[in-house]
Amino acid sequence: MVDGAVLLVDAVEGPLAQTKFVLAKALSRGLAPVVVLNKVDRPECSQSRCDAVASQLFDLFASLGADDRQLDFPVLYASSKQVSGRTSRLALRSRLTRGWRGMGLVCQPGC
């Protein structure tokens, strides 16, 4: 049993076929995933690209029948190489080290 899910998406590539499969499974179980856009440190990853990927994800959530709670997903921006995570692409808010300690920012019991 799980209380939440993390949907990790490459910020440059956007959602792929496996993203849809994993998201459909999470939504069917009533989970409200936290979206993590990874690789935001890559030169080809701009704020507008991140916004476009977030919009694609919203459309994907909606097409899979997400309810209002699930459609209101938080987005974290991450760089695995830099071992950091942010609640915005520009401002570093938390270090994501062992165990994803920073996930407590957005994922509370029952989320």
Side-chain angles (χ1 to χ4, degrees):
M1 301 289 282
V2 296
D3 293 326
V6 175
L7 187 66
L8 184 67
V9 178
D10 185 302
V12 176
E13 292 179 356
L16 302 175
Q18 61 268 30
T19 308
K20 182 177 181 179
F21 177 81
V22 170
L23 180 59
K25 293 291 185 184
L27 295 177
S28 72
R29 288 168 173 73
L31 301 175
V34 173
V35 170
V36 178
L37 296 183
N38 195 26
K39 301 182 184 177
V40 298
D41 57 324
R42 291 170 62 183
E44 61 271 31
C45 183
S46 63
Q47 184 62 53
S48 63
R49 179 61 190 149
C50 289
D51 293 343
V53 171
S55 180
Q56 291 172 354
L57 288 168
F58 182 87
D59 293 344
L60 182 57
F61 272 69
S63 73
L64 293 173
D67 61 29
D68 289 341
R69 178 182 61 89
Q70 293 166 323
L71 285 171
D72 191 25
F73 56 86
V75 178
L76 294 178
Y77 302 85
S79 166
S80 296
K81 284 185 178 180
Q82 297 176 3
V83 191
S84 66
R86 315 171 181 125
T87 54
S88 76
R89 187 173 178 277
L90 303 175
L92 183 63
R93 285 283 306 260
S94 66
R95 299 283 295 171
L96 297 181
T97 57
R98 275 187 48 209
W100 284 79
R101 290 187 315 218
M103 199 54 71
L105 292 170
V106 293
C107 190
Q108 303 298 322
C111 66

